[in-house]
Amino acid sequence: MADFLQSSSSNFTLNSVKWEAKTGYNAIRKLNPNQIQCIITEDNRRSIVKNGNDSLEICKVVNGMWQTSVGWGRIDRNNAVNAMLRYADTGLTTFDMADIYGPAEDLYGIFINRVRRERPPEYLNKVRGLTKWVPPPVKMTSSYVRGSIDVSRKRMDVPSLDMLQFHWWDYSNPGYLDALKHLTDLKEEGKIKTVALTNFDMERLQIILENGIPVVSNQVQHSIVDMRPQQKMAELCQLTGVKLITYGTVMGGLLSEKFLDTNLAIPFAGPPLNTPSLQKYKRMVDAWGGWSLFQTLLQTLKKVASKHGVSIPTVAVKYILDQPAVAGSMVGVRLGLSEHIQDSNAIFSLVLDEEDVNSIQEVSKRGKDLLRVIGDCGDEYRRA
């Protein structure tokens, strides 16, 4: 399937790939032997993703900051930053944000300055800020890309972004390759430490790698309900060393005790779907198999959770972290409004046994194939 230079340290270089998905996709790709070289080492709490000379260590449980946007309630700046410090103090030191997530990058800038002033240097060395750039479909010139990245660097108050995850709305516009080449130039200048993607599909990921872009990860939607990344994307990731960072892993909170034994078909009978994430992932449940099957999944997860003395979200995240190619999974944080630090830290010590995995898989596979219903990773953002 591929020719590799292998070693015991999982250091491999891809010379050529003949990759054929079960869906029928067949392509032979010739790549420069030195183009992709990824070394992945992992411990219980952290992942190190390395592509060539680019290296970044992240916490496997990533604090997602989409919830700082409009729609989740008013964010008090001081309370939010204090909450970020509480998360980081327990070892949850990686934060994910985007230029379009309201004040997220600004909050990180305030937070990182608090860390510099109030915490020891070795603490600062563990903190990571992953951001995304979601540009409009304009011409991707060097000056435009540079200006956009400088805005994030200023907001986050860092000389170099730990990770820049790039999103592109329209594949018919090939400008994404121009943007990624300019981002790679900025990485060489030291303004970005690692270049990554978000919501790219398998086909475009392969094209990007062929063009010599040293991406280290692709952030995609991935949960027990949405297993699309394991159907096509994960195999290519394992071949090339690119890792997955997942979001939607607890489905905005739907995968929790709060929604167990509820009937949303009856008005006011269940918890309200009062956030953008709950509404989004309820649509995923409907596409997958409906609320009745989802209740069966929640009941199964509750049995596993009770067996191990943890919560449903803890089981849901651990299950995805155990999937091939996954380096980290997102858990959204409603900073200053609610916290789940204990549940997040319980993920690291949880070990799912064969019985647990089989019971979860049995229900998961009863749902519809979302790859056929929606398309590959990120296609939900690109459908007409």
Side-chain angles (χ1 to χ4, degrees):
M1 198 173 205
D3 296 321
F4 291 97
L5 176 65
Q6 298 185 354
S7 73
S8 58
S9 63
S10 298
N11 182 349
F12 48 86
T13 301
L14 182 62
N15 293 322
S16 64
V17 178
K18 180 178 180 183
W19 190 82
E20 183 171 355
K22 294 178 181 178
T23 56
Y25 181 87
N26 187 309
I28 298 177
R29 308 298 193 188
K30 297 295 183 180
L31 303 175
N32 186 316
N34 296 317
Q35 180 173 319
I36 305 171
Q37 187 176 41
C38 303
I39 303 171
I40 311 298
T41 60
E42 298 177 313
D43 61 20
N44 187 44
R45 296 182 65 96
R46 304 184 74 83
S47 299
I48 301 175
V49 183
K50 182 173 182 180
N51 188 326
N53 293 323
D54 306 335
S55 178
L56 190 71
E57 182 184 73
I58 64 170
C59 182
K60 290 182 179 180
V61 178
V62 180
N63 304 312
M65 294 178 67
W66 182 30
Q67 285 81 352
T68 63
S69 307
V70 175
W72 282 269
R74 181 180 176 274
I75 293 289
D76 178 88
R77 184 182 67 177
N78 291 331
N79 289 343
V81 173
N82 286 335
M84 293 175 75
L85 286 167
R86 286 194 294 274
Y87 276 91
D89 284 344
T90 68
L92 300 168
T93 55
T94 299
F95 296 84
D96 178 88
M97 63 215 81
D99 60 336
I100 60 171
Y101 287 1
E105 290 184 335
D106 301 299
L107 290 171
Y108 184 85
I110 300 168
F111 159 75
I112 202 67
N113 273 297
R114 288 275 304 271
V115 171
R116 290 167 182 151
R117 294 193 309 267
E118 302 172 14
R119 300 295 189 272
E122 58 270 21
Y123 184 112
L124 178 62
N125 292 337
K126 293 288 188 181
V127 175
R128 298 290 180 266
L130 321 180
T131 195
K132 306 182 198 73
W133 181 40
V134 187
V138 298
K139 187 173 179 60
M140 293 290 112
T141 64
S142 176
S143 60
Y144 181 81
V145 175
R146 181 181 299 271
S148 299
I149 298 312
D150 283 346
V151 170
S152 288
R153 290 171 57 233
K154 182 177 180 180
R155 293 179 69 191
M156 296 173 67
D157 201 7
V158 293
S160 180
L161 300 176
D162 290 326
M163 178 184 285
L164 192 285
Q165 301 165 106
F166 175 67
H167 175 90
W168 192 251
W169 293 108
D170 182 8
Y171 291 144
S172 67
N173 179 348
Y176 66 90
L177 289 173
D178 295 326
L180 284 164
K181 288 172 182 176
H182 295 316
L183 290 173
T184 302
D185 291 340
L186 291 174
K187 179 187 69 67
E188 295 301 320
E189 293 178 21
K191 293 188 175 183
I192 299 170
K193 294 178 183 176
T194 54
V195 175
L197 306 172
T198 181
N199 292 317
F200 273 80
D201 64 8
M202 183 278 298
E203 182 179 351
R204 253 57 59 159
L205 172 59
Q206 193 160 5
I207 291 171
I208 288 165
L209 294 174
E210 290 169 0
N211 277 268
I213 308 299
V215 298
V216 297
S217 63
N218 186 20
Q219 186 179 135
V220 295
Q221 183 173 293
H222 195 357
S223 68
I224 296 172
V225 165
D226 187 358
M227 295 295 291
R228 287 177 296 161
Q230 295 304 318
Q231 293 175 263
K232 294 171 67 173
M233 182 68 67
E235 186 172 357
L236 179 61
C237 286
Q238 288 180 291
L239 288 173
T240 61
V242 173
K243 283 289 191 175
L244 298 176
I245 297 175
T246 74
Y247 67 87
T249 309
V250 296
M251 305 189 73
L254 288 179
L255 285 171
S256 69
E257 281 81 359
K258 183 177 181 179
F259 287 90
L260 177 65
D261 297 329
T262 61
N263 185 354
L264 297 188
I266 302 174
F268 310 109
L273 302 178
N274 57 359
T275 68
S277 54
L278 285 172
Q279 294 159 14
K280 171 185 178 179
Y281 294 115
K282 173 57 165 59
R283 291 192 292 272
M284 284 290 165
V285 168
D286 293 340
W288 171 70
W291 197 249
S292 177
L293 180 58
F294 187 70
Q295 284 299 309
T296 302
L297 176 60
L298 285 179
Q299 291 160 6
T300 300
L301 293 174
K302 182 60 178 177
K303 290 179 182 177
V304 174
S306 298
K307 170 182 169 182
H308 294 280
V310 297
S311 68
I312 288 176
T314 297
V315 174
V317 175
K318 179 61 174 176
Y319 183 85
I320 296 302
L321 276 174
D322 287 344
Q323 299 301 309
V326 175
S329 288
M330 203 87 58
V331 178
V333 290
R334 300 185 68 182
L335 300 171
L337 299 176
S338 61
E339 292 184 358
H340 37 69
I341 292 173
Q342 184 174 348
D343 281 351
S344 291
N345 273 298
I347 295 166
F348 301 114
S349 58
L350 175 61
V351 177
L352 298 176
D353 59 33
E354 184 177 359
E355 180 185 28
D356 302 328
V357 172
N358 289 341
S359 66
I360 295 169
Q361 285 180 342
E362 191 277 326
V363 182
S364 178
K365 291 178 179 179
R366 287 165 58 185
K368 294 177 183 176
D369 180 357
L370 292 184
L371 186 67
R372 294 182 179 274
V373 175
I374 299 171
D376 201 0
C377 298
D379 281 358
E380 60 269 30
Y381 298 103
R382 299 180 178 91
R383 292 190 299 175

XYZ file of all heavy atoms in Angstrom, residues 5-71:
524
model
N 9.851 4.314 5.306
C 11.068 4.166 6.074
C 10.627 4.121 7.519
O 10.187 5.104 8.073
C 12.019 5.352 5.837
C 13.297 5.348 6.667
C 14.168 4.165 6.270
C 14.057 6.652 6.455
N 10.698 2.947 8.124
C 10.133 2.765 9.451
C 11.225 2.579 10.482
O 12.303 2.086 10.205
C 9.208 1.541 9.491
C 8.015 1.677 8.549
C 7.064 0.515 8.704
O 7.335 -0.434 9.418
N 5.938 0.599 8.038
N 10.910 2.970 11.707
C 11.808 2.730 12.837
C 10.982 2.534 14.087
O 9.788 2.758 14.092
C 12.758 3.919 13.029
O 12.075 5.024 13.569
N 11.630 2.162 15.153
C 10.902 1.880 16.387
C 10.315 3.135 17.002
O 9.459 3.059 17.866
C 11.845 1.214 17.406
O 12.955 2.046 17.667
N 10.772 4.307 16.568
C 10.243 5.554 17.119
C 9.063 6.077 16.318
O 8.659 7.216 16.463
C 11.342 6.634 17.130
O 11.759 6.918 15.807
N 8.499 5.253 15.438
C 7.362 5.640 14.592
C 7.718 6.807 13.681
O 6.888 7.650 13.369
C 6.138 5.995 15.453
O 5.719 4.894 16.196
N 8.971 6.842 13.224
C 9.427 7.868 12.290
C 9.262 7.290 10.890
O 9.867 6.288 10.559
C 10.901 8.178 12.577
C 11.444 9.267 11.672
O 10.806 9.645 10.708
N 12.632 9.745 12.006
N 8.403 7.910 10.063
C 8.194 7.336 8.754
C 8.093 8.414 7.695
O 7.630 9.506 7.929
C 6.958 6.434 8.707
C 5.733 7.022 9.305
C 4.900 7.828 8.556
C 5.398 6.744 10.627
C 3.756 8.347 9.107
C 4.249 7.269 11.172
C 3.426 8.077 10.413
N 8.599 8.082 6.510
C 8.549 8.976 5.367
C 7.747 8.303 4.269
O 7.981 7.151 3.943
C 9.966 9.285 4.858
O 10.702 9.881 5.909
C 9.915 10.235 3.666
N 6.806 9.035 3.695
C 5.944 8.480 2.656
C 6.575 8.734 1.291
O 6.812 9.851 0.900
C 4.570 9.155 2.729
C 3.528 8.663 1.734
C 3.233 7.199 1.983
C 2.263 9.480 1.883
N 6.890 7.666 0.557
C 7.420 7.798 -0.795
C 6.304 7.824 -1.828
O 6.283 8.616 -2.740
C 8.372 6.640 -1.110
C 9.624 6.706 -0.278
O 10.134 7.784 -0.034
N 10.107 5.560 0.171
N 5.398 6.900 -1.692
C 4.258 6.888 -2.605
C 3.104 6.219 -1.901
O 3.287 5.403 -1.010
C 4.594 6.127 -3.885
O 4.854 4.770 -3.600
N 1.923 6.578 -2.310
C 0.724 6.032 -1.670
C -0.231 5.541 -2.743
O -0.564 6.263 -3.671
C 0.002 7.106 -0.826
C -1.259 6.520 -0.213
C 0.911 7.607 0.281
N -0.626 4.306 -2.624
C -1.778 3.837 -3.401
C -2.849 3.553 -2.381
O -2.747 2.612 -1.605
C -1.439 2.595 -4.211
C -2.635 2.100 -5.036
C -2.286 0.883 -5.874
C -3.497 0.442 -6.678
N -3.200 -0.774 -7.455
N -3.832 4.406 -2.375
C -4.828 4.348 -1.303
C -6.213 4.172 -1.906
O -6.628 4.917 -2.772
C -4.769 5.643 -0.498
C -5.583 5.575 0.739
C -5.238 5.033 1.936
C -6.906 6.059 0.899
N -6.253 5.152 2.829
C -7.297 5.772 2.225
C -7.815 6.693 0.054
C -8.529 6.114 2.724
C -9.057 7.031 0.561
C -9.392 6.743 1.887
N -6.892 3.163 -1.463
C -8.224 2.899 -2.013
C -9.206 2.749 -0.871
O -9.064 1.863 -0.036
C -8.222 1.637 -2.865
C -9.571 1.362 -3.522
C -9.475 0.226 -4.528
O -8.356 -0.248 -4.766
O -10.506 -0.172 -5.046
N -10.167 3.649 -0.803
C -11.169 3.601 0.253
C -12.237 2.580 -0.085
O -12.425 2.201 -1.230
C -11.815 4.980 0.409
N -12.954 2.167 0.926
C -14.027 1.210 0.714
C -15.137 1.806 -0.150
O -15.922 1.086 -0.749
C -14.592 0.771 2.063
C -13.590 -0.023 2.901
C -14.172 -0.399 4.243
C -13.159 -1.167 5.087
N -13.693 -1.503 6.415
N -15.178 3.139 -0.186
C -16.216 3.794 -0.981
C -15.885 3.777 -2.461
O -16.680 4.223 -3.276
C -16.369 5.251 -0.520
O -15.091 5.892 -0.629
C -16.836 5.307 0.901
N -14.680 3.308 -2.844
C -14.330 3.242 -4.247
C -13.324 4.272 -4.691
O -12.855 4.256 -5.821
N -12.950 5.205 -3.804
C -11.982 6.226 -4.191
C -10.635 5.554 -4.412
O -10.138 4.822 -3.577
C -11.861 7.294 -3.099
C -10.883 8.392 -3.463
C -11.307 9.496 -4.199
C -9.555 8.308 -3.083
C -10.427 10.489 -4.540
C -8.667 9.307 -3.435
C -9.104 10.400 -4.150
O -8.213 11.385 -4.483
N -10.040 5.797 -5.560
C -8.765 5.173 -5.883
C -7.843 6.226 -6.453
O -8.204 6.934 -7.375
C -8.979 4.053 -6.913
C -7.699 3.252 -7.143
O -6.643 3.815 -7.397
N -7.826 1.945 -7.056
N -6.668 6.346 -5.881
C -5.717 7.324 -6.394
C -4.317 6.860 -6.112
O -4.041 6.247 -5.084
C -5.954 8.685 -5.742
N -3.406 7.113 -7.061
C -1.999 6.858 -6.835
C -1.309 8.202 -6.763
O -1.379 9.003 -7.690
C -1.385 6.008 -7.961
C -2.080 4.646 -8.009
C 0.107 5.843 -7.763
C -1.581 3.772 -9.132
N -0.672 8.478 -5.650
C -0.060 9.766 -5.425
C 1.447 9.596 -5.293
O 1.922 8.807 -4.479
C -0.603 10.419 -4.149
C -2.126 10.490 -4.079
C -2.700 11.339 -5.193
N -4.099 11.655 -4.955
C -4.865 12.252 -5.833
N -4.393 12.589 -6.999
N -6.120 12.518 -5.543
N 2.203 10.371 -6.064
C 3.653 10.356 -5.957
C 4.101 11.579 -5.174
O 3.801 12.707 -5.548
C 4.300 10.384 -7.356
C 3.969 9.152 -8.195
C 4.551 7.889 -7.585
C 4.273 6.673 -8.460
N 4.816 5.442 -7.884
N 4.801 11.355 -4.113
C 5.244 12.438 -3.246
C 6.750 12.420 -3.101
O 7.390 11.375 -3.208
C 4.601 12.309 -1.858
C 3.074 12.277 -1.829
C 2.599 12.016 -0.422
C 2.498 13.574 -2.354
N 7.308 13.582 -2.860
C 8.721 13.684 -2.568
C 9.048 12.849 -1.344
O 8.378 12.963 -0.323
C 9.062 15.167 -2.300
C 10.541 15.404 -2.120
O 11.210 14.645 -1.418
N 11.035 16.465 -2.731
N 10.087 12.011 -1.383
C 10.394 11.152 -0.240
C 10.629 11.919 1.047
O 10.416 11.396 2.130
C 11.665 10.418 -0.682
C 11.609 10.431 -2.170
C 10.963 11.731 -2.534
N 11.072 13.168 0.949
C 11.342 13.942 2.151
C 10.210 14.910 2.483
O 10.342 15.748 3.363
C 12.646 14.735 1.968
C 13.837 13.818 1.799
O 13.949 12.833 2.509
N 14.706 14.127 0.840
N 9.117 14.791 1.741
C 8.051 15.774 1.906
C 7.341 15.644 3.245
O 7.018 16.628 3.890
C 7.046 15.611 0.769
C 5.877 16.578 0.822
C 5.034 16.461 -0.410
O 5.534 16.338 -1.511
N 3.736 16.478 -0.244
N 7.058 14.418 3.645
C 6.290 14.210 4.863
C 7.097 13.341 5.809
O 7.433 12.209 5.489
C 4.945 13.522 4.574
C 4.161 14.329 3.538
C 4.134 13.352 5.836
C 2.935 13.611 3.051
N 7.399 13.882 6.948
C 8.102 13.101 7.959
C 7.519 13.460 9.304
O 7.703 14.559 9.792
C 9.604 13.390 7.932
C 10.396 12.467 8.854
C 11.875 12.704 8.722
O 12.321 13.835 8.633
N 12.655 11.648 8.721
N 6.767 12.551 9.865
C 6.049 12.843 11.094
C 6.454 11.875 12.182
O 6.556 10.674 11.949
C 4.539 12.745 10.880
S 3.918 13.833 9.587
N 6.692 12.403 13.351
C 6.996 11.573 14.505
C 5.939 11.866 15.557
O 5.743 13.005 15.935
C 8.386 11.878 15.087
C 9.456 11.695 14.002
C 8.685 10.980 16.280
C 10.822 12.182 14.428
N 5.243 10.850 15.999
C 4.193 11.011 16.999
C 4.570 10.224 18.246
O 4.773 9.019 18.183
C 2.835 10.493 16.494
C 2.525 11.050 15.088
C 1.721 10.852 17.449
C 2.400 12.537 15.010
N 4.701 10.913 19.357
C 4.896 10.229 20.627
C 3.812 10.705 21.578
O 3.409 11.866 21.550
C 6.280 10.527 21.238
O 6.386 11.943 21.465
C 7.390 10.082 20.302
N 3.329 9.812 22.401
C 2.213 10.156 23.267
C 2.417 9.566 24.661
O 3.000 8.509 24.823
C 0.897 9.627 22.678
C 0.561 10.223 21.327
C -0.702 9.637 20.733
O -0.831 8.411 20.753
O -1.526 10.409 20.258
N 1.932 10.291 25.673
C 1.858 9.729 27.007
C 0.397 9.758 27.432
O -0.493 9.935 26.607
C 2.784 10.470 27.979
C 2.422 11.944 28.126
O 1.271 12.315 27.809
O 3.294 12.723 28.559
N 0.158 9.638 28.727
C -1.215 9.511 29.188
C -2.043 10.775 29.007
O -3.230 10.714 28.716
C -1.216 9.104 30.671
C -2.596 8.785 31.174
O -3.354 8.100 30.506
N -2.941 9.303 32.344
N -1.404 11.946 29.166
C -2.158 13.203 29.143
C -1.865 14.077 27.932
O -2.648 14.969 27.623
C -1.851 14.021 30.411
C -2.291 13.364 31.707
C -1.983 14.276 32.889
N -2.758 15.506 32.832
C -3.914 15.695 33.481
N -4.413 14.732 34.237
N -4.557 16.837 33.385
N -0.731 13.872 27.278
C -0.310 14.809 26.244
C 0.089 14.083 24.962
O 0.488 12.916 24.996
C 0.852 15.675 26.753
C 0.498 16.424 28.040
C 1.599 17.355 28.483
N 1.688 18.545 27.648
C 0.923 19.623 27.801
N -0.020 19.646 28.725
N 1.082 20.671 27.017
N -0.035 14.782 23.849
C 0.396 14.287 22.549
C 1.437 15.239 21.987
O 1.296 16.455 22.112
C -0.774 14.203 21.567
O -1.772 13.320 22.016
N 2.456 14.699 21.376
C 3.430 15.504 20.645
C 3.257 15.194 19.166
O 3.428 14.057 18.745
C 4.876 15.202 21.081
C 5.059 15.467 22.578
C 5.857 16.051 20.276
C 6.423 15.075 23.099
N 2.915 16.219 18.409
C 2.739 16.059 16.974
C 3.913 16.745 16.301
O 4.150 17.928 16.510
C 1.413 16.681 16.506
C 1.199 16.441 15.026
C 0.245 16.101 17.305
N 4.661 15.979 15.508
C 5.845 16.532 14.863
C 5.838 16.226 13.382
O 5.634 15.088 12.967
C 7.120 15.970 15.506
C 8.389 16.556 14.911
C 9.617 16.115 15.658
C 10.867 16.760 15.067
N 12.100 16.363 15.774
N 6.041 17.241 12.597
C 6.169 17.096 11.144
C 7.471 17.776 10.741
O 7.581 18.997 10.803
C 4.986 17.741 10.431
C 4.982 17.433 8.945
O 6.023 17.317 8.322
N 3.790 17.304 8.382
N 8.465 16.989 10.370
C 9.772 17.559 10.076
C 10.343 18.218 11.318
O 10.458 17.592 12.368
N 10.672 19.502 11.195
C 11.210 20.239 12.338
C 10.136 20.936 13.152
O 10.442 21.613 14.134
C 12.235 21.283 11.851
C 13.475 20.644 11.271
O 13.945 19.616 11.759
N 14.008 21.234 10.208
N 8.878 20.799 12.755
C 7.769 21.455 13.451
C 7.223 20.522 14.522
O 6.825 19.395 14.219
C 6.651 21.815 12.476
C 7.144 22.634 11.300
O 8.180 23.306 11.460
O 6.501 22.591 10.232
N 7.182 20.993 15.746
C 6.755 20.137 16.849
C 5.862 20.915 17.793
O 6.124 22.087 18.094
C 7.986 19.613 17.604
O 7.593 18.817 18.705
N 4.805 20.268 18.247
C 3.912 20.892 19.221
C 3.361 19.832 20.155
O 2.840 18.813 19.712
C 2.749 21.620 18.526
C 1.917 22.497 19.459
C 2.710 23.730 19.882
C 0.610 22.921 18.808
N 3.468 20.088 21.429
C 2.892 19.210 22.447
C 1.581 19.821 22.921
O 1.526 21.000 23.267
C 3.851 19.078 23.626
C 3.344 18.150 24.715
C 4.283 18.111 25.912
O 4.313 19.104 26.668
O 4.987 17.102 26.071
N 0.521 19.032 22.920
C -0.785 19.505 23.372
C -1.352 18.552 24.417
O -0.969 17.392 24.494
C -1.784 19.631 22.203
C -2.076 18.252 21.583
C -1.285 20.617 21.161
C -3.224 18.251 20.578
N -2.271 19.066 25.209
C -3.049 18.211 26.108
C -4.066 17.455 25.263
O -4.667 18.013 24.339
C -3.748 19.061 27.155
S -4.711 18.126 28.365
N -4.258 16.182 25.556
C -5.191 15.376 24.762
C -6.636 15.843 24.910
O -7.446 15.655 24.003
C -5.083 13.901 25.161
C -3.772 13.246 24.739
C -3.766 11.774 25.122
C -2.485 11.101 24.685
N -2.458 9.669 25.038
N -6.970 16.430 26.041
C -8.290 17.028 26.223
C -8.124 18.529 26.023
O -7.432 19.197 26.787
C -8.876 16.720 27.609
C -10.229 17.414 27.779
C -9.037 15.214 27.791
N -8.750 19.042 24.974
C -8.572 20.427 24.561
C -9.780 21.249 25.006
O -10.930 20.842 24.785
C -8.402 20.511 23.034
C -8.219 21.955 22.584
C -7.222 19.654 22.578
N -9.528 22.394 25.610
C -10.596 23.287 26.044
C -11.086 24.105 24.851
O -10.380 24.968 24.340
C -10.094 24.242 27.132
C -9.513 23.514 28.323
O -10.109 22.574 28.850
N -8.343 23.944 28.772
N -12.304 23.834 24.393
C -12.848 24.516 23.224
C -13.554 25.802 23.604
O -14.374 25.832 24.522
N -13.248 26.888 22.886
C -13.753 28.211 23.251
C -14.787 28.773 22.278
O -15.043 29.979 22.262
C -12.567 29.175 23.400
C -11.652 28.811 24.557
S -10.204 29.902 24.735
C -10.992 31.458 25.194
N -15.410 27.910 21.466
C -16.524 28.379 20.627
C -17.608 29.009 21.502
O -18.284 29.955 21.106
C -17.084 27.199 19.818
C -18.209 27.544 18.881
C -18.424 28.734 18.246
C -19.286 26.684 18.464
N -19.561 28.672 17.450
C -20.097 27.424 17.571
C -19.622 25.355 18.748
C -21.233 26.879 16.975
C -20.749 24.812 18.143
C -21.548 25.570 17.276
N -17.751 28.495 22.710
C -18.817 28.945 23.606
C -18.640 30.371 24.110
O -19.508 30.894 24.810
C -18.941 27.984 24.798
C -19.607 26.675 24.467
C -18.658 25.680 23.817
O -17.530 25.999 23.471
N -19.114 24.449 23.647
N -17.509 31.012 23.775
C -17.372 32.429 24.119
C -18.057 33.327 23.091
O -18.151 34.541 23.279
C -15.882 32.827 24.228
O -15.240 32.653 22.955
C -15.167 31.992 25.273
N -18.530 32.718 21.991
C -19.231 33.479 20.962
C -20.643 33.827 21.427
O -21.131 33.348 22.451
C -19.317 32.660 19.666
O -18.052 32.209 19.257
N -21.324 34.624 20.635
C -22.714 34.973 20.927
C -23.565 33.704 20.889
O -23.412 32.860 20.024
C -23.238 35.988 19.890
C -24.716 36.264 20.101
C -22.431 37.279 19.965
N -24.457 33.541 21.843
C -25.385 32.415 21.819
C -25.346 31.541 23.057
O -26.239 30.720 23.271
